Amino acid sequence: MMIETLVSTEAQELLYQLTALLEQELRCQPKASGLRLIEAAHDNGLRMTARLRDFEVKDLLSLTQFFGFHAETFSLAVNFLDRFLSKMKVQPKHIGCVGLSCFYLAVKATEEERNVPLATDLIRISQYRFTVSDMMRMEKIVLEKLSWKVKATTAFQFLQLYHSLIHENLSCERKKYLNFERLETQLKACHCRIMFSKAKPSVLALSIMALEIEEQKLLELTEALEFLQLHSKINNRELTFWKELVLKCLTEYSSSKCSKPNVQKLKWIVSGRTARQLKHSYYRITHLPTIPETTS
């Protein structure tokens, strides 16, 4: 029972964190009107489109996998990118520089300093043609347009909290059925579609969580989930709307229709000479993020 669990000090602390996140949630989100403009734009090579944005985000996901960065870093990079794109008219030729600048800002904000790559290496591995000074200039523009607010609330933070709170309600032998790595990968897949940036981060996170609970038939979590929905002030219509979209996205993602991030391409770029020049610490390649099966 969720109510019993909430007596524990740890759960109280998590709920306190959740309340704080919910209060800050709307402060640093992309402009919905700006995102709709991108979605409506035609692919004429002159304007930013949803396809170009999604393609860029998939590239950033490849880099996240390549460097072994946290999902939180990726989620924050997507927040920066969409906030910038929803405010500014970005020409397609500049999307690479904008995307990588947002990614680098997110890396510096969340990763440990010793794991932060040099800008030159990041550009080289991404195979972009711009220089470090181009990227530094772009970083400054991005920061100004984000009003220097780099502590945004992301769907990843909500997913982490919801998982911690709900996990408590499972018996030891059933905890393995609610796998955080699997939820994290599902969130990454959603981030690769611009439409999910129009959802409130809490709603996106709870939709992913609710679908997974249904998928794994964890009926004992129904009450706990309803409690979180109530606490997060998310109505049924909104939750159902986004759950349907998430389900559609994940179904396509796990079928071959959806292009998964191309880590193979990155592995190939880092050939002998480059690898020797790179600091050993960030020559860590992880595998493609296929959604892990849960242990049956």
Side-chain angles (χ1 to χ4, degrees), residues 240-268:
T240 308
F241 176 80
W242 287 106
K243 265 170 69 180
E244 283 172 11
L245 288 175
V246 170
L247 182 60
K248 190 168 174 282
C249 166
L250 296 180
T251 311
E252 285 172 18
Y253 183 86
S254 47
S255 78
S256 53
K257 254 199 307 189
C258 177
S259 63
K260 295 201 178 85
N262 192 350
V263 177
Q264 207 49 50
K265 184 178 87 172
L266 287 170
K267 279 185 189 173
W268 180 78

PDB file of all heavy atoms in Angstrom, residues 240-268:
ATOM      1  N   THR A 240      -4.201   9.833 -20.479  1.00  0.00           N
ATOM      2  CA  THR A 240      -4.602   8.901 -21.534  1.00  0.00           C
ATOM      3  C   THR A 240      -4.106   9.370 -22.898  1.00  0.00           C
ATOM      4  O   THR A 240      -3.599   8.580 -23.703  1.00  0.00           O
ATOM      5  CB  THR A 240      -6.149   8.763 -21.578  1.00  0.00           C
ATOM      6  OG1 THR A 240      -6.586   8.466 -20.256  1.00  0.00           O
ATOM      7  CG2 THR A 240      -6.593   7.679 -22.525  1.00  0.00           C
ATOM      8  N   PHE A 241      -4.237  10.675 -23.151  1.00  0.00           N
ATOM      9  CA  PHE A 241      -3.800  11.260 -24.422  1.00  0.00           C
ATOM     10  C   PHE A 241      -2.319  10.964 -24.686  1.00  0.00           C
ATOM     11  O   PHE A 241      -1.945  10.470 -25.750  1.00  0.00           O
ATOM     12  CB  PHE A 241      -4.049  12.782 -24.394  1.00  0.00           C
ATOM     13  CG  PHE A 241      -3.541  13.513 -25.613  1.00  0.00           C
ATOM     14  CD1 PHE A 241      -4.263  13.520 -26.789  1.00  0.00           C
ATOM     15  CD2 PHE A 241      -2.319  14.189 -25.570  1.00  0.00           C
ATOM     16  CE1 PHE A 241      -3.786  14.206 -27.921  1.00  0.00           C
ATOM     17  CE2 PHE A 241      -1.831  14.866 -26.689  1.00  0.00           C
ATOM     18  CZ  PHE A 241      -2.579  14.875 -27.872  1.00  0.00           C
ATOM     19  N   TRP A 242      -1.473  11.246 -23.685  1.00  0.00           N
ATOM     20  CA  TRP A 242      -0.033  11.058 -23.877  1.00  0.00           C
ATOM     21  C   TRP A 242       0.370   9.584 -23.829  1.00  0.00           C
ATOM     22  O   TRP A 242       1.291   9.171 -24.522  1.00  0.00           O
ATOM     23  CB  TRP A 242       0.755  11.904 -22.868  1.00  0.00           C
ATOM     24  CG  TRP A 242       0.696  13.349 -23.238  1.00  0.00           C
ATOM     25  CD1 TRP A 242      -0.028  14.328 -22.616  1.00  0.00           C
ATOM     26  CD2 TRP A 242       1.346  13.989 -24.355  1.00  0.00           C
ATOM     27  NE1 TRP A 242       0.133  15.533 -23.269  1.00  0.00           N
ATOM     28  CE2 TRP A 242       0.970  15.361 -24.335  1.00  0.00           C
ATOM     29  CE3 TRP A 242       2.212  13.544 -25.359  1.00  0.00           C
ATOM     30  CZ2 TRP A 242       1.427  16.284 -25.282  1.00  0.00           C
ATOM     31  CZ3 TRP A 242       2.666  14.459 -26.311  1.00  0.00           C
ATOM     32  CH2 TRP A 242       2.279  15.812 -26.270  1.00  0.00           C
ATOM     33  N   LYS A 243      -0.341   8.793 -23.034  1.00  0.00           N
ATOM     34  CA  LYS A 243      -0.034   7.352 -22.990  1.00  0.00           C
ATOM     35  C   LYS A 243      -0.215   6.733 -24.374  1.00  0.00           C
ATOM     36  O   LYS A 243       0.593   5.921 -24.815  1.00  0.00           O
ATOM     37  CB  LYS A 243      -0.966   6.640 -21.992  1.00  0.00           C
ATOM     38  CG  LYS A 243      -0.365   6.478 -20.607  1.00  0.00           C
ATOM     39  CD  LYS A 243      -1.396   5.987 -19.600  1.00  0.00           C
ATOM     40  CE  LYS A 243      -1.815   4.560 -19.863  1.00  0.00           C
ATOM     41  NZ  LYS A 243      -2.823   4.097 -18.881  1.00  0.00           N
ATOM     42  N   GLU A 244      -1.279   7.127 -25.067  1.00  0.00           N
ATOM     43  CA  GLU A 244      -1.526   6.587 -26.408  1.00  0.00           C
ATOM     44  C   GLU A 244      -0.403   6.956 -27.378  1.00  0.00           C
ATOM     45  O   GLU A 244       0.043   6.139 -28.177  1.00  0.00           O
ATOM     46  CB  GLU A 244      -2.883   7.075 -26.937  1.00  0.00           C
ATOM     47  CG  GLU A 244      -4.046   6.307 -26.314  1.00  0.00           C
ATOM     48  CD  GLU A 244      -5.413   6.890 -26.661  1.00  0.00           C
ATOM     49  OE1 GLU A 244      -5.492   7.769 -27.549  1.00  0.00           O
ATOM     50  OE2 GLU A 244      -6.403   6.454 -26.037  1.00  0.00           O
ATOM     51  N   LEU A 245       0.044   8.217 -27.292  1.00  0.00           N
ATOM     52  CA  LEU A 245       1.133   8.664 -28.174  1.00  0.00           C
ATOM     53  C   LEU A 245       2.447   7.965 -27.843  1.00  0.00           C
ATOM     54  O   LEU A 245       3.211   7.592 -28.729  1.00  0.00           O
ATOM     55  CB  LEU A 245       1.295  10.184 -28.084  1.00  0.00           C
ATOM     56  CG  LEU A 245       0.187  11.014 -28.733  1.00  0.00           C
ATOM     57  CD1 LEU A 245       0.400  12.489 -28.471  1.00  0.00           C
ATOM     58  CD2 LEU A 245       0.121  10.767 -30.239  1.00  0.00           C
ATOM     59  N   VAL A 246       2.715   7.789 -26.549  1.00  0.00           N
ATOM     60  CA  VAL A 246       3.942   7.102 -26.128  1.00  0.00           C
ATOM     61  C   VAL A 246       3.918   5.651 -26.623  1.00  0.00           C
ATOM     62  O   VAL A 246       4.906   5.149 -27.169  1.00  0.00           O
ATOM     63  CB  VAL A 246       4.127   7.144 -24.588  1.00  0.00           C
ATOM     64  CG1 VAL A 246       5.257   6.218 -24.138  1.00  0.00           C
ATOM     65  CG2 VAL A 246       4.438   8.572 -24.122  1.00  0.00           C
ATOM     66  N   LEU A 247       2.785   5.006 -26.460  1.00  0.00           N
ATOM     67  CA  LEU A 247       2.661   3.610 -26.895  1.00  0.00           C
ATOM     68  C   LEU A 247       2.942   3.483 -28.391  1.00  0.00           C
ATOM     69  O   LEU A 247       3.672   2.593 -28.832  1.00  0.00           O
ATOM     70  CB  LEU A 247       1.266   3.072 -26.565  1.00  0.00           C
ATOM     71  CG  LEU A 247       1.019   1.599 -26.922  1.00  0.00           C
ATOM     72  CD1 LEU A 247       1.976   0.682 -26.179  1.00  0.00           C
ATOM     73  CD2 LEU A 247      -0.416   1.196 -26.629  1.00  0.00           C
ATOM     74  N   LYS A 248       2.375   4.394 -29.167  1.00  0.00           N
ATOM     75  CA  LYS A 248       2.575   4.387 -30.619  1.00  0.00           C
ATOM     76  C   LYS A 248       4.063   4.568 -30.946  1.00  0.00           C
ATOM     77  O   LYS A 248       4.626   3.858 -31.780  1.00  0.00           O
ATOM     78  CB  LYS A 248       1.752   5.523 -31.230  1.00  0.00           C
ATOM     79  CG  LYS A 248       1.670   5.508 -32.744  1.00  0.00           C
ATOM     80  CD  LYS A 248       0.586   6.490 -33.226  1.00  0.00           C
ATOM     81  CE  LYS A 248       0.572   6.599 -34.735  1.00  0.00           C
ATOM     82  NZ  LYS A 248       1.662   7.461 -35.256  1.00  0.00           N
ATOM     83  N   CYS A 249       4.694   5.515 -30.254  1.00  0.00           N
ATOM     84  CA  CYS A 249       6.118   5.795 -30.494  1.00  0.00           C
ATOM     85  C   CYS A 249       6.979   4.582 -30.147  1.00  0.00           C
ATOM     86  O   CYS A 249       7.846   4.190 -30.915  1.00  0.00           O
ATOM     87  CB  CYS A 249       6.551   7.002 -29.659  1.00  0.00           C
ATOM     88  SG  CYS A 249       8.335   7.210 -29.534  1.00  0.00           S
ATOM     89  N   LEU A 250       6.716   3.964 -28.993  1.00  0.00           N
ATOM     90  CA  LEU A 250       7.537   2.821 -28.557  1.00  0.00           C
ATOM     91  C   LEU A 250       7.322   1.606 -29.446  1.00  0.00           C
ATOM     92  O   LEU A 250       8.259   0.831 -29.675  1.00  0.00           O
ATOM     93  CB  LEU A 250       7.245   2.476 -27.095  1.00  0.00           C
ATOM     94  CG  LEU A 250       7.617   3.562 -26.071  1.00  0.00           C
ATOM     95  CD1 LEU A 250       7.282   3.115 -24.670  1.00  0.00           C
ATOM     96  CD2 LEU A 250       9.084   3.963 -26.174  1.00  0.00           C
ATOM     97  N   THR A 251       6.105   1.450 -29.970  1.00  0.00           N
ATOM     98  CA  THR A 251       5.827   0.335 -30.868  1.00  0.00           C
ATOM     99  C   THR A 251       6.634   0.503 -32.156  1.00  0.00           C
ATOM    100  O   THR A 251       7.237  -0.431 -32.656  1.00  0.00           O
ATOM    101  CB  THR A 251       4.307   0.270 -31.195  1.00  0.00           C
ATOM    102  OG1 THR A 251       3.596   0.349 -29.971  1.00  0.00           O
ATOM    103  CG2 THR A 251       3.960  -1.021 -31.899  1.00  0.00           C
ATOM    104  N   GLU A 252       6.670   1.744 -32.655  1.00  0.00           N
ATOM    105  CA  GLU A 252       7.456   2.019 -33.871  1.00  0.00           C
ATOM    106  C   GLU A 252       8.949   1.896 -33.591  1.00  0.00           C
ATOM    107  O   GLU A 252       9.702   1.405 -34.422  1.00  0.00           O
ATOM    108  CB  GLU A 252       7.141   3.431 -34.385  1.00  0.00           C
ATOM    109  CG  GLU A 252       5.794   3.514 -35.068  1.00  0.00           C
ATOM    110  CD  GLU A 252       5.399   4.948 -35.398  1.00  0.00           C
ATOM    111  OE1 GLU A 252       6.280   5.830 -35.419  1.00  0.00           O
ATOM    112  OE2 GLU A 252       4.202   5.180 -35.623  1.00  0.00           O
ATOM    113  N   TYR A 253       9.350   2.350 -32.423  1.00  0.00           N
ATOM    114  CA  TYR A 253      10.779   2.331 -32.063  1.00  0.00           C
ATOM    115  C   TYR A 253      11.311   0.906 -32.019  1.00  0.00           C
ATOM    116  O   TYR A 253      12.413   0.626 -32.475  1.00  0.00           O
ATOM    117  CB  TYR A 253      10.975   3.005 -30.701  1.00  0.00           C
ATOM    118  CG  TYR A 253      12.422   3.104 -30.262  1.00  0.00           C
ATOM    119  CD1 TYR A 253      13.219   4.173 -30.668  1.00  0.00           C
ATOM    120  CD2 TYR A 253      13.003   2.151 -29.430  1.00  0.00           C
ATOM    121  CE1 TYR A 253      14.532   4.283 -30.264  1.00  0.00           C
ATOM    122  CE2 TYR A 253      14.326   2.251 -29.017  1.00  0.00           C
ATOM    123  CZ  TYR A 253      15.082   3.319 -29.444  1.00  0.00           C
ATOM    124  OH  TYR A 253      16.392   3.421 -29.033  1.00  0.00           O
ATOM    125  N   SER A 254      10.502  -0.005 -31.462  1.00  0.00           N
ATOM    126  CA  SER A 254      11.011  -1.378 -31.331  1.00  0.00           C
ATOM    127  C   SER A 254      10.876  -2.157 -32.638  1.00  0.00           C
ATOM    128  O   SER A 254      11.474  -3.203 -32.800  1.00  0.00           O
ATOM    129  CB  SER A 254      10.303  -2.111 -30.192  1.00  0.00           C
ATOM    130  OG  SER A 254       8.920  -1.919 -30.293  1.00  0.00           O
ATOM    131  N   SER A 255      10.095  -1.610 -33.596  1.00  0.00           N
ATOM    132  CA  SER A 255      10.073  -2.250 -34.920  1.00  0.00           C
ATOM    133  C   SER A 255      11.213  -1.636 -35.727  1.00  0.00           C
ATOM    134  O   SER A 255      11.782  -0.630 -35.349  1.00  0.00           O
ATOM    135  CB  SER A 255       8.740  -1.983 -35.613  1.00  0.00           C
ATOM    136  OG  SER A 255       8.731  -0.669 -36.140  1.00  0.00           O
ATOM    137  N   SER A 256      11.523  -2.207 -36.867  1.00  0.00           N
ATOM    138  CA  SER A 256      12.705  -1.745 -37.620  1.00  0.00           C
ATOM    139  C   SER A 256      12.453  -0.421 -38.335  1.00  0.00           C
ATOM    140  O   SER A 256      13.371   0.179 -38.869  1.00  0.00           O
ATOM    141  CB  SER A 256      13.103  -2.806 -38.632  1.00  0.00           C
ATOM    142  OG  SER A 256      11.960  -3.119 -39.415  1.00  0.00           O
ATOM    143  N   LYS A 257      11.184   0.041 -38.328  1.00  0.00           N
ATOM    144  CA  LYS A 257      10.858   1.282 -39.040  1.00  0.00           C
ATOM    145  C   LYS A 257      11.667   2.472 -38.544  1.00  0.00           C
ATOM    146  O   LYS A 257      12.026   3.355 -39.290  1.00  0.00           O
ATOM    147  CB  LYS A 257       9.369   1.604 -38.829  1.00  0.00           C
ATOM    148  CG  LYS A 257       8.532   1.328 -40.058  1.00  0.00           C
ATOM    149  CD  LYS A 257       7.201   2.054 -39.995  1.00  0.00           C
ATOM    150  CE  LYS A 257       6.433   1.788 -38.717  1.00  0.00           C
ATOM    151  NZ  LYS A 257       5.069   2.316 -38.766  1.00  0.00           N
ATOM    152  N   CYS A 258      11.918   2.473 -37.248  1.00  0.00           N
ATOM    153  CA  CYS A 258      12.557   3.639 -36.633  1.00  0.00           C
ATOM    154  C   CYS A 258      14.069   3.494 -36.691  1.00  0.00           C
ATOM    155  O   CYS A 258      14.617   2.471 -36.304  1.00  0.00           O
ATOM    156  CB  CYS A 258      12.087   3.741 -35.181  1.00  0.00           C
ATOM    157  SG  CYS A 258      12.858   5.064 -34.301  1.00  0.00           S
ATOM    158  N   SER A 259      14.754   4.537 -37.177  1.00  0.00           N
ATOM    159  CA  SER A 259      16.215   4.436 -37.244  1.00  0.00           C
ATOM    160  C   SER A 259      16.779   4.630 -35.848  1.00  0.00           C
ATOM    161  O   SER A 259      16.512   5.628 -35.199  1.00  0.00           O
ATOM    162  CB  SER A 259      16.766   5.501 -38.180  1.00  0.00           C
ATOM    163  OG  SER A 259      16.474   6.769 -37.678  1.00  0.00           O
ATOM    164  N   LYS A 260      17.519   3.661 -35.410  1.00  0.00           N
ATOM    165  CA  LYS A 260      18.135   3.775 -34.075  1.00  0.00           C
ATOM    166  C   LYS A 260      19.455   4.537 -34.225  1.00  0.00           C
ATOM    167  O   LYS A 260      20.054   4.551 -35.288  1.00  0.00           O
ATOM    168  CB  LYS A 260      18.382   2.370 -33.499  1.00  0.00           C
ATOM    169  CG  LYS A 260      17.079   1.621 -33.240  1.00  0.00           C
ATOM    170  CD  LYS A 260      17.302   0.503 -32.234  1.00  0.00           C
ATOM    171  CE  LYS A 260      16.016  -0.205 -31.924  1.00  0.00           C
ATOM    172  NZ  LYS A 260      15.690  -1.249 -32.880  1.00  0.00           N
ATOM    173  N   PRO A 261      19.938   5.154 -33.150  1.00  0.00           N
ATOM    174  CA  PRO A 261      21.182   5.925 -33.237  1.00  0.00           C
ATOM    175  C   PRO A 261      22.319   5.076 -33.783  1.00  0.00           C
ATOM    176  O   PRO A 261      22.472   3.917 -33.416  1.00  0.00           O
ATOM    177  CB  PRO A 261      21.466   6.328 -31.793  1.00  0.00           C
ATOM    178  CG  PRO A 261      20.246   6.049 -31.040  1.00  0.00           C
ATOM    179  CD  PRO A 261      19.367   5.165 -31.824  1.00  0.00           C
ATOM    180  N   ASN A 262      23.103   5.690 -34.648  1.00  0.00           N
ATOM    181  CA  ASN A 262      24.132   4.928 -35.339  1.00  0.00           C
ATOM    182  C   ASN A 262      25.472   4.978 -34.613  1.00  0.00           C
ATOM    183  O   ASN A 262      26.351   5.764 -34.958  1.00  0.00           O
ATOM    184  CB  ASN A 262      24.268   5.488 -36.759  1.00  0.00           C
ATOM    185  CG  ASN A 262      25.101   4.592 -37.633  1.00  0.00           C
ATOM    186  OD1 ASN A 262      25.727   3.651 -37.152  1.00  0.00           O
ATOM    187  ND2 ASN A 262      25.120   4.875 -38.906  1.00  0.00           N
ATOM    188  N   VAL A 263      25.626   4.134 -33.617  1.00  0.00           N
ATOM    189  CA  VAL A 263      26.884   4.111 -32.859  1.00  0.00           C
ATOM    190  C   VAL A 263      27.977   3.480 -33.720  1.00  0.00           C
ATOM    191  O   VAL A 263      29.151   3.798 -33.592  1.00  0.00           O
ATOM    192  CB  VAL A 263      26.708   3.331 -31.533  1.00  0.00           C
ATOM    193  CG1 VAL A 263      28.034   3.245 -30.787  1.00  0.00           C
ATOM    194  CG2 VAL A 263      25.701   4.052 -30.654  1.00  0.00           C
ATOM    195  N   GLN A 264      27.571   2.608 -34.634  1.00  0.00           N
ATOM    196  CA  GLN A 264      28.535   1.943 -35.519  1.00  0.00           C
ATOM    197  C   GLN A 264      29.339   2.985 -36.285  1.00  0.00           C
ATOM    198  O   GLN A 264      30.545   2.886 -36.420  1.00  0.00           O
ATOM    199  CB  GLN A 264      27.769   1.035 -36.508  1.00  0.00           C
ATOM    200  CG  GLN A 264      28.559  -0.152 -37.009  1.00  0.00           C
ATOM    201  CD  GLN A 264      29.249  -0.941 -35.890  1.00  0.00           C
ATOM    202  OE1 GLN A 264      28.626  -1.293 -34.916  1.00  0.00           O
ATOM    203  NE2 GLN A 264      30.531  -1.176 -36.025  1.00  0.00           N
ATOM    204  N   LYS A 265      28.626   4.020 -36.765  1.00  0.00           N
ATOM    205  CA  LYS A 265      29.284   5.087 -37.519  1.00  0.00           C
ATOM    206  C   LYS A 265      30.347   5.750 -36.640  1.00  0.00           C
ATOM    207  O   LYS A 265      31.467   6.011 -37.072  1.00  0.00           O
ATOM    208  CB  LYS A 265      28.232   6.113 -37.956  1.00  0.00           C
ATOM    209  CG  LYS A 265      28.789   7.219 -38.829  1.00  0.00           C
ATOM    210  CD  LYS A 265      27.697   8.188 -39.270  1.00  0.00           C
ATOM    211  CE  LYS A 265      27.471   9.288 -38.256  1.00  0.00           C
ATOM    212  NZ  LYS A 265      26.562  10.336 -38.722  1.00  0.00           N
ATOM    213  N   LEU A 266      29.984   6.004 -35.376  1.00  0.00           N
ATOM    214  CA  LEU A 266      30.930   6.656 -34.467  1.00  0.00           C
ATOM    215  C   LEU A 266      32.128   5.763 -34.179  1.00  0.00           C
ATOM    216  O   LEU A 266      33.253   6.224 -34.097  1.00  0.00           O
ATOM    217  CB  LEU A 266      30.231   7.012 -33.155  1.00  0.00           C
ATOM    218  CG  LEU A 266      29.252   8.187 -33.221  1.00  0.00           C
ATOM    219  CD1 LEU A 266      28.471   8.272 -31.940  1.00  0.00           C
ATOM    220  CD2 LEU A 266      29.979   9.484 -33.473  1.00  0.00           C
ATOM    221  N   LYS A 267      31.866   4.455 -34.038  1.00  0.00           N
ATOM    222  CA  LYS A 267      32.969   3.532 -33.765  1.00  0.00           C
ATOM    223  C   LYS A 267      33.976   3.602 -34.895  1.00  0.00           C
ATOM    224  O   LYS A 267      35.175   3.559 -34.703  1.00  0.00           O
ATOM    225  CB  LYS A 267      32.448   2.090 -33.674  1.00  0.00           C
ATOM    226  CG  LYS A 267      31.850   1.727 -32.350  1.00  0.00           C
ATOM    227  CD  LYS A 267      31.492   0.245 -32.363  1.00  0.00           C
ATOM    228  CE  LYS A 267      30.683  -0.104 -31.130  1.00  0.00           C
ATOM    229  NZ  LYS A 267      30.165  -1.458 -31.169  1.00  0.00           N
ATOM    230  N   TRP A 268      33.430   3.720 -36.111  1.00  0.00           N
ATOM    231  CA  TRP A 268      34.280   3.706 -37.286  1.00  0.00           C
ATOM    232  C   TRP A 268      35.128   4.973 -37.361  1.00  0.00           C
ATOM    233  O   TRP A 268      36.297   4.935 -37.716  1.00  0.00           O
ATOM    234  CB  TRP A 268      33.387   3.577 -38.526  1.00  0.00           C
ATOM    235  CG  TRP A 268      34.175   3.561 -39.790  1.00  0.00           C
ATOM    236  CD1 TRP A 268      34.866   2.521 -40.314  1.00  0.00           C
ATOM    237  CD2 TRP A 268      34.376   4.667 -40.670  1.00  0.00           C
ATOM    238  NE1 TRP A 268      35.476   2.912 -41.471  1.00  0.00           N
ATOM    239  CE2 TRP A 268      35.194   4.218 -41.721  1.00  0.00           C
ATOM    240  CE3 TRP A 268      33.937   5.983 -40.679  1.00  0.00           C
ATOM    241  CZ2 TRP A 268      35.593   5.042 -42.765  1.00  0.00           C
ATOM    242  CZ3 TRP A 268      34.327   6.810 -41.724  1.00  0.00           C
ATOM    243  CH2 TRP A 268      35.137   6.345 -42.752  1.00  0.00           C
TER     244      TRP A 268
END
